Amino acid sequence: MTPRLVLLDSGGANLGSVQAAFARLGVDAPVSSTAATIRAATHVILPGVGAAAAAMSRLRENGLDKLIPTLTQPLLGICVGMQLLFESSDEGDTECLGLLPGRVAHLRAQPGVRVPHMGWNQLQTTRTHPLTEGLDAAWVYFVHSYAAPTAAATVADCTHGAAFSAVVAADRVMGAQFHPERSSGAGARLLRNFLAL
């Protein structure tokens, strides 16, 4: 079956680059905030670049904050989109979607550790999951100042000063803190893995 993918209109600046990443895989990825269109999709992406408070405000404006928790198909949050899956964020003391337990925290700068975390870093899978198949020790591209701590939902982590959740999964709800659309072959692999779910 050909996947019917929808990108949620979260106002993120990475919408175009995420669409282009799926186009390279031969998959159309329209952007929508229409409930019927989203419910008809087989796979849903919550992209995000920017601040958690602004992204949540956009989701509330178009009613997606109420729709997203009711979805039953696989959902993948990317970067800030992944952070919004949690209960809250230190960034602007923002209440998020609450699909995953925990609070997103500011990364701590320390000698040799710059914040924001920008650039390539290596994944370490922490448990087997179809989303991260073939990605253990893969190098992926990050741009972020906030991150979710490692917890039960963590399927891959990364270290930047301290370990944080790089990929999370709990039933149909999944997230990648890194940018698959900017992570070359490893990013394409994660997106293909997601579409295969």
Side-chain angles (χ1 to χ4, degrees):
M1 180 179 76
T2 303
R4 296 186 312 278
L5 182 70
V6 168
L7 304 186
L8 298 179
D9 185 5
S10 58
N14 64 336
L15 282 169
S17 57
V18 173
Q19 284 181 308
F22 280 108
R24 290 191 292 273
L25 299 178
V27 177
D28 189 37
V31 177
S32 181
S33 59
T34 304
T37 301
I38 295 165
R39 289 194 188 283
T42 59
H43 296 74
V44 177
I45 300 280
L46 176 57
V49 166
M56 278 305 303
S57 177
R58 178 65 173 256
L59 294 182
R60 289 186 189 102
E61 283 169 14
N62 55 28
L64 292 177
D65 64 317
K66 299 287 191 284
L67 176 66
I68 292 168
T70 70
L71 298 177
T72 57
Q73 63 271 71
L75 168 69
L76 177 67
I78 295 174
C79 193
V80 172
M82 172 180 141
Q83 295 174 14
L84 298 183
L85 301 175
F86 288 85
E87 292 169 308
S88 60
S89 173
D90 284 350
E91 188 175 20
D93 193 23
T94 303
E95 182 182 341
C96 299
L97 294 168
L99 301 179
L100 297 173
R103 183 174 177 89
V104 172
H106 195 272
L107 294 173
R108 218 175 103 236
Q110 50 190 290
V113 177
R114 295 176 130 181
V115 176
H117 174 209
M118 290 182 69
W120 295 86
N121 210 328
Q122 197 168 24
L123 295 179
Q124 180 66 48
T125 55
T126 56
R127 63 183 170 94
T128 302
H129 192 276
L131 186 62
T132 53
E133 184 180 340
L135 292 175
D136 189 40
W139 289 86
V140 294
Y141 190 82
F142 291 88
V143 181
H144 64 124
S145 297
Y146 294 81
T150 57
T154 306
V155 294
D157 63 20
C158 187
T159 300
H160 186 70
F164 63 87
S165 289
V167 183
V168 293
D171 298 321
R172 66 168 189 88
V173 177
M174 290 155 271
Q177 179 59 63
F178 65 92
H179 286 274
E181 74 277 16
R182 298 177 67 181
S183 295
S184 191
R189 177 65 183 264
L190 180 119
L191 297 180
R192 283 196 303 270
N193 288 349
F194 175 69
L195 292 173
L197 294 173

